[in-house]
Amino acid sequence: MSKRHSAKYKLDRAMGENLWGRAKSPVNKRSYGPGQHGQRRKQKVSDFGLQLKAKQKLKGYYGNITEKQFSNTYEEAGRKRGNTSEALIGLLESRLDAMVYRAKFTPTVWSARQFVNHGHVTVNGKKVNIASYRVKIGDVVEVKEKSRAMALVLEAQQSSERDIPDYLELGDRGFSVRYVRVPELADVPYPVKMEPNLVVEYYSS
């Protein structure tokens, strides 16, 4: 269901990191950037460059989020009380496609988006096909009965590449998950270091 394999792995190489912790990532073999100039010696990066990279890395991790969607999410986080960078992470993790990925219903964030868009999941028993839908604490996300035998669902559940975080509570033989609490940055199992504080600096500058 995922159709942007080359694009997502190009992002891995551009960042120089295995963003999703996948064994197939080309960074595992070639840590330099893509293109004919990828092996050039890296120059010192400015503060703005570091902030931009942090933003691109965090945005890219969640798949097909547009720049407008991401900046709107940042603005919403800024309106919340408390730490803006922590609020940003909480909002990103509460997206329905992110939750489908975290629950290991699909193997990638890209396939999670399509899985939702194609109507394979419900929230509290009602079909929701909007990937950016905001899941609330206590909501139950479930794979439809007729979709549970799909190959990508079985592949994801059998994968040992990642674990399900403790802010999600599995149920119904692993085909449903309840959103227990809003996670903080330290709770989210990112395979690489994320720096939402630099993202805040990027948008604040």
Side-chain angles (χ1 to χ4, degrees), residues 1 20 24 27 38 89 102 117 155-156 160 169:
M1 296 178 73
W20 299 277
K24 297 178 181 179
V27 172
I89 295 300
R102 288 280 178 240
N117 288 345
E155 174 195 343
S160 60
E169 183 179 87

Side-chain angles (χ1 to χ4, degrees), residues 2-4 7-8 20 59-67 69-70 95 97 109-111 113-114 117 131:
S2 175
K3 59 182 180 181
R4 287 190 60 186
K8 69 184 178 188
W20 299 277
K59 182 172 78 74
Y61 178 86
Y62 287 93
N64 286 323
I65 298 181
T66 65
E67 183 61 40
Q69 285 177 322
F70 192 77
R95 287 175 56 97
D97 56 354
V109 292
W110 315 87
S111 55
R113 182 185 181 92
Q114 290 194 2
N117 288 345

Side-chain angles (χ1 to χ4, degrees), residues 73-88 90-91 94 134 182:
T73 303
Y74 165 75
E75 289 176 6
E76 184 178 350
R79 292 191 294 269
K80 290 181 174 292
R81 290 184 178 182
N83 189 306
T84 300
S85 61
E86 292 286 359
L88 176 61
L91 290 172
S94 69
R134 191 69 50 72
V182 178

